């Protein structure tokens, strides 16, 4: 169908994860910075709307098929927060994983329910005005752990404890994380949809 796509993100961790998966299928994932794509506004209240907006935006500026994800962590006791604000939960100046983690730990400190889940919505558009974007969603459930553990992953991973694995997401191997994470689950669903084209 295509051999190159642009990733509507500047996140190096996401580029590595998506790049590995698509490379196995002969598809090169290029960062949107290669095409000087300006930052896309994300005014929408849902992961899916923001992902669609980012995919169309990257495709418009690059002229290539584009893949966007909108993802974040949702704490049940906080009504789903930080949700779409996960990357900038503690503010934008500058965005900081450590500050975001500290803020979420503080907000959950007095809560009995520490359950949380990662959400990933992937949107692939074949061109800017694609009338039928491919949309896939993955949800990964865990429990918030105040103490950070592990050096892998990124974002909230050092605090995201997985009962079945007995460790945090940051302590998983890259291979395991790619298979069981919200992003891995969404990628598997996206692959099935691509294979049906």
């Amino acid at each position: 169908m295509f051999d190159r796509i642009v990733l509507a993100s500047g996140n190096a961790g996401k580029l590595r994860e998506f790049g590995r998966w698509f490379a196995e299928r002969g598809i090169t994932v290029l960062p949107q910075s290669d095409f000087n794509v300006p930052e896309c506004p994300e005014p929408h209240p849902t992961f899916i709307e923001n992902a669609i907006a980012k995919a169309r935006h990257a495709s418009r500026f690059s002229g290539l098929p584009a893949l966007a994800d909108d993802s974040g962590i949702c704490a049940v006791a906080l009504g789903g927060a930080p949700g779409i604000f996960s990357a900038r939960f503690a503010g934008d100046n500058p965005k900081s994983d450590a500050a975001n983690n500290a803020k979420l730990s503080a907000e959950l400190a007095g809560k009995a329910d520490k359950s949380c889940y990662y959400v990933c919505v992937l949107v692939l558009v074949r061109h800017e005005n694609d009338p039928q974007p491919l949309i896939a969603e993955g949800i990964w459930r865990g429990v918030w752990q105040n103490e950070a553990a592990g050096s892998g992953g990124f974002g909230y991973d050092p605090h995201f404890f997985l009962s079945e694995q007995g460790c945090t997401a940051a302590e998983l191997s890259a291979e395991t994380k790619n298979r069981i994470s919200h992003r891995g689950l969404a990628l598997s669903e996206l692959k099935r949809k691509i294979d049906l084209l």
Side-chain angles (χ1 to χ4, degrees):
M1 181 172 63
F2 45 79
D3 58 8
R4 295 192 306 159
I5 61 171
V6 61
L7 177 63
S9 173
N11 186 301
K14 291 179 183 180
L15 186 64
R16 281 193 303 274
E17 288 187 20
F18 289 127
R20 277 193 295 264
W21 189 86
F22 278 100
E24 295 172 1
R25 288 146 185 86
I27 299 170
T28 301
V29 179
L30 302 167
Q32 65 179 7
S33 58
D34 284 4
F35 303 91
N36 298 312
V37 176
E39 189 164 347
C40 179
E42 297 179 46
H44 305 291
T46 66
F47 293 112
I48 189 168
E49 290 170 293
N50 285 324
I52 289 171
K54 289 190 284 188
R56 292 197 190 283
H57 181 79
S59 185
R60 178 183 314 128
F61 282 92
S62 68
L64 291 175
L67 175 68
D69 93 309
D70 205 47
S71 54
I73 194 168
C74 301
V76 173
L78 302 179
I84 61 163
F85 300 108
S86 294
R88 53 191 183 278
F89 192 42
D92 278 319
N93 296 311
K95 293 178 185 173
S96 160
D97 287 348
N100 288 337
N101 283 316
K103 181 173 182 181
L104 189 50
S105 281
E107 296 217 359
L108 286 174
K111 307 291 185 184
D113 187 352
K114 307 284 189 192
S115 58
C116 51
Y117 55 95
Y118 271 124
V119 177
C120 175
V121 174
L122 296 178
V123 172
L124 177 65
V125 295
R126 287 152 283 204
H127 54 83
E128 176 192 349
N129 297 311
D130 191 341
Q132 191 179 21
L134 299 183
I135 300 171
E137 181 182 61
I139 294 175
W140 194 22
R141 300 190 184 279
V143 177
W144 187 258
Q145 173 178 293
N146 280 333
E147 295 299 318
S151 57
F154 56 95
Y156 296 89
D157 289 353
H159 295 269
F160 189 73
F161 184 78
L162 304 158
S163 300
E164 285 187 17
Q165 282 71 33
C167 65
T168 69
E171 295 176 291
L172 295 173
S173 67
E175 179 185 4
T176 300
K177 184 186 176 189
N178 288 343
R179 182 171 45 83
I180 69 173
S181 74
H182 55 311
R183 197 163 289 113
L185 296 171
L187 274 169
S188 293
E189 184 181 340
L190 185 67
K191 177 185 179 291
R192 288 192 294 273
K193 293 189 173 188
I194 289 173
D195 290 343
L196 292 173
L197 292 176

